[in-house]
Amino acid sequence: MNKYLESEITLYPRKMFDEYRVGVVYPAPYDLGMSNLGFHWVLRQIETTAGFTCERFFWTSGHKGPARSLESGRRPQDVHLLVFSVSFELDFPAVLEFIIQAGLPPRAAERDARYPLVVAGGAALQINPEPLAPFMDIILLGEGEDILPLFLAKYLAAGDRRRLFQDLVGEPYAYIPSSVEVEYDSTGGIQRQKWRSPGTAPAVPPVVHCPPLPAARLAATGPPFNNILSPHTEFARTLLVEISRGCPMGCRYCWAGYRYLPQRAFPAGRILDLARLARPHTGRIGLVSTAVCQHPDIQALLAELQRLQYSIGLASLRLSDIQADILEIVAHSGTESVTLAPETGSDALRRTINKSFSNDEILAKVALVYTSGIRRLKLYFMTGLPGETESDVTASLDLIRRILSIRQQCVPSAQRVSISVSPFVPKPNTPFQFAPPAEPAVLKRNMRRYQRELGGSPDLEIHLGSVREALLQYHLSMGSRQTGELLLDMARGQLSVRELFAANIPWSDAPGVGPPPWSILDWGLSREYLRQEWIAAREGRLTPPCPGTPGCRRCGICSAESSVSLPDAGQPS
């Protein structure tokens, strides 16, 4: 038996046979795919829907020949549907490699009923689906708890793919790229966007509405968790549970902070039910959220998990989350590390990104972390943020040295501090979509400085992000269907990354440039609000957190939640 299957523990029994076979694809190796909660949740939702069974496919870049499913060794062309879970833009080339090596025509227009229906969803496509649009029959956008049951129900009812496409056109969350014709101007912006067959399309502009799920409806479907525990992952044999979705803080670089507003929590009782179910199989649990300690019942959750004798891992903590009582529970559970994201050592630059805390507050919280018994600290920084100067880089280096000094004073025997420095990448549907990226030469110079000034410290473990990968990520996240055609050439080995950089035109906020490629998406976020936030960033003004109150119209998202009628697709059994 496959070594991975041998070592897996399944909490709820998996269904191995049903009418339709779905290949769920993660475009990276097993250890990365099985560390991804979104991939697990797609698998679970499909498997609990009558009529469908799943097999997993993974992909290693550069592999020749078709991938084989983990469960049975089946080829991709031997399933009814291929569903790609795409979390990162840098996985786009691997998606196309997978399709090509499977022997499938890469463009959706070239495939007919002889081939599996090719579907994609995931975080990266919520940002901008257009670079992969020419290759997908269907792209599922929005929150999977609603769109997956809706899609599967319509698939069962349709009978053939033409009827399925007709049934899905105009539905919330469902994007049929072949139904939309897009023309671009010479600047990378949209010149014209229209329905390809007006007679069969809705009498509205071609926009996919993706409103947030109301809190009650989301709570009734979750929480998402990994039904399969594996030792061959980043979080070996750890139960991962999403405890809430969304973050109210409004960091201006963070697409997830805007996409998943307003913040909504999953019921504590359901989270604990999963923890009790998994406890005979694991002693580790990871609580997943962009704002973990904003869960209304976080204290009670942590206390009960401690009583169950779990080692509790928390996602990156906001500075205000660093409280003595929370740290005490986490440290006593056996967890050794805490992650913080100062992003920069400059208080002024931190205001630009809408983080209000100061260096002095960071240092006070670091001291609290170490005195609580936590022995390992991980810190995230960025370079290339809009307006960053040499003095800002100096401020970050100084802050890191002061943190090392506090570690030495509090716990000299603590593990080395882990520092990650990533190049900033502008993201669609954030205020920083209007920001030009830093020049690669500047990013490389800054990275060399971090390495030169910190690399020799025995108390530091430093991880520097790749400037080349950041530039590719920028081209893909701000790209269009034209970018997708370049990607196809790259996947075929006919184009280098450097040649893609030269040929591609990423969207920019320049005079005369048309609407951005991701205008096909609308989850209610006001473009004027983003523009005002960009102005506030340049002026160093802070914006208060999302109030999350019914009827708020500040950014437009909560208005969208109430204005779109969501079909009842039923819930998985």
Side-chain angles (χ1 to χ4, degrees):
M1 182 184 287
N2 183 292
K3 73 169 185 176
Y4 294 124
L5 291 176
E6 274 184 341
S7 60
E8 290 180 345
I9 295 172
T10 303
L11 301 182
Y12 289 101
R14 296 183 63 201
K15 181 174 52 175
M16 291 292 105
F17 302 99
D18 215 321
E19 183 177 2
Y20 293 101
R21 292 186 300 273
V22 182
V24 183
V25 185
Y26 196 85
Y30 175 96
D31 61 325
L32 297 178
M34 293 299 288
S35 300
N36 186 281
L37 185 54
F39 177 74
H40 279 279
W41 194 228
V42 169
L43 195 70
R44 174 72 180 157
Q45 286 189 290
I46 297 174
E47 286 185 337
T48 53
T49 301
F52 298 92
T53 185
C54 290
E55 298 196 24
R56 288 168 287 169
F57 289 86
F58 301 97
W59 184 250
T60 301
S61 187
H63 177 80
K64 299 301 181 184
R68 296 281 180 165
S69 72
L70 187 66
E71 283 75 7
S72 70
R74 203 181 298 274
R75 300 178 307 166
Q77 54 263 56
D78 295 331
V79 301
H80 298 94
L81 295 94
L82 281 173
V83 177
F84 286 87
S85 177
V86 189
S87 294
F88 307 103
E89 295 97 337
L90 292 178
D91 288 334
F92 287 0
V95 171
L96 295 183
E97 286 179 19
F98 183 99
I99 293 173
I100 292 168
Q101 293 299 324
L104 307 179
R107 294 186 183 86
E110 299 168 345
R111 296 190 299 267
D112 55 26
R114 294 173 296 169
Y115 301 102
L117 193 71
V118 180
V119 182
L125 300 181
Q126 304 246 20
I127 301 172
N128 178 11
E130 288 303 274
L132 287 187
F135 317 108
M136 296 297 148
D137 295 311
I138 300 170
I139 298 178
L140 302 179
L141 303 165
E143 296 173 287
E145 286 82 1
D146 242 43
I147 183 56
L148 264 174
L150 170 68
F151 164 69
L152 295 173
K154 287 190 176 291
Y155 180 88
L156 290 174
D160 63 67
R161 61 181 66 194
R162 177 175 292 183
R163 172 67 184 276
L164 176 65
F165 294 165
Q166 291 174 350
D167 288 348
L168 286 173
V169 168
E171 288 281 4
Y173 312 122
Y175 178 29
I176 316 298
S178 62
S179 69
V180 179
E181 184 179 324
V182 185
E183 296 176 8
Y184 301 98
D185 58 30
S186 59
T187 63
I190 293 176
Q191 187 173 54
R192 187 171 62 161
Q193 186 168 279
K194 64 178 183 177
W195 294 111
R196 196 174 295 276
S197 302
T200 60
V204 292
V207 171
V208 182
H209 296 283
C210 308
L213 288 181
R217 186 156 180 168
L218 183 65
T221 64
F225 67 99
N226 55 327
N227 188 48
I228 303 169
L229 306 179
S230 170
H232 303 289
T233 67
E234 181 182 350
F235 311 103
R237 287 268 161 82
T238 299
L239 174 67
L240 301 176
V241 186
E242 184 180 9
I243 66 169
S244 66
R245 189 169 298 171
C247 174
M249 302 312 294
C251 297
R252 292 176 176 130
Y253 59 83
C254 179
W255 76 268
Y258 288 90
R259 175 63 189 94
Y260 295 120
L261 287 174
Q263 187 185 23
R264 294 146 293 160
F266 291 100
R270 290 196 177 196
I271 297 166
L272 292 172
D273 285 345
L274 287 169
R276 295 184 188 104
L277 174 71
R279 187 61 189 87
H281 309 293
T282 181
R284 294 191 289 269
I285 188 169
L287 304 184
V288 179
S289 173
T290 47
V292 171
C293 292
Q294 288 288 299
H295 192 287
D297 299 315
I298 188 62
Q299 294 280 6
L301 267 175
L302 294 176
E304 180 60 14
L305 292 173
Q306 184 183 36
R307 191 191 70 77
L308 291 169
Q309 298 185 327
Y310 267 107
S311 174
I312 306 167
L314 303 179
S316 177
L317 295 175
R318 298 202 336 261
L319 211 68
S320 60
D321 298 336
I322 306 294
Q323 304 295 335
D325 50 356
I326 289 176
L327 289 174
E328 181 182 3
I329 292 174
V330 172
H332 285 177
S333 78
T335 295
E336 294 188 341
S337 68
V338 161
T339 302
L340 302 176
E343 310 299 5
T344 175
S346 163
D347 289 349
L349 188 58
R350 210 174 288 119
R351 291 175 66 88
T352 296
I353 62 178
N354 206 38
K355 288 196 172 190
S356 60
F357 50 83
S358 67
N359 285 346
D360 288 341
E361 291 173 289
I362 293 171
L363 295 170
K365 295 294 187 178
V366 166
L368 186 59
V369 166
Y370 279 124
T371 55
S372 73
I374 298 293
R375 291 294 178 266
R376 180 169 171 78
L377 187 62
K378 299 178 182 178
L379 300 169
Y380 290 148
F381 287 82
M382 283 193 282
T383 188
L385 286 164
E388 184 186 54
T389 64
E390 285 272 358
S391 62
D392 294 323
V393 177
T394 299
S396 294
L397 291 163
D398 290 344
L399 177 61
I400 292 168
R401 294 187 185 100
R402 294 172 71 186
I403 288 170
L404 289 178
S405 176
I406 288 174
R407 167 191 172 276
Q408 185 64 28
Q409 294 167 21
C410 295
V411 192
S413 61
Q415 297 180 39
R416 291 191 298 171
V417 177
S418 174
I419 304 288
S420 293
V421 184
S422 301
F424 163 70
V425 178
K427 293 290 183 179
N429 281 309
T430 69
F432 284 0
Q433 72 177 20
F434 304 113
E439 289 295 327
V442 173
L443 295 174
K444 290 176 181 177
R445 183 188 68 210
N446 292 348
M447 290 298 190
R448 285 194 298 269
R449 188 175 175 197
Y450 275 102
Q451 182 62 49
R452 182 175 65 251
E453 299 195 26
L454 300 176
S457 171
D459 300 323
L460 267 183
E461 184 180 291
I462 186 164
H463 306 275
L464 302 178
S466 163
V467 173
R468 181 174 179 270
E469 287 187 358
L471 187 57
L472 178 58
Q473 186 184 153
Y474 165 68
H475 276 264
L476 298 181
S477 66
M478 307 292 277
S480 65
R481 295 187 183 192
Q482 293 173 326
T483 309
E485 294 298 331
L486 296 171
L487 266 181
L488 179 58
D489 288 341
M490 197 168 81
R492 286 172 164 163
Q494 300 168 353
L495 191 78
S496 68
V497 174
R498 185 184 295 274
E499 288 169 329
L500 183 144
F501 293 161
N504 187 51
I505 306 175
W507 185 84
S508 65
D509 182 44
V513 176
W518 52 91
S519 297
I520 191 72
L521 286 173
D522 176 23
W523 64 74
L525 182 62
S526 162
R527 291 172 189 167
E528 180 57 28
Y529 179 75
L530 291 178
R531 178 72 67 178
Q532 291 304 315
E533 279 296 287
W534 172 232
I535 294 171
R538 287 183 292 170
E539 295 175 353
R541 289 189 284 111
L542 294 171
T543 298
C546 165
T549 52
C552 174
R553 296 181 177 275
R554 189 172 83 180
C555 72
I557 290 176
C558 291
S559 304
E561 177 183 312
S562 59
S563 66
V564 174
S565 176
L566 300 175
D568 186 0
Q571 299 303 335
S573 58

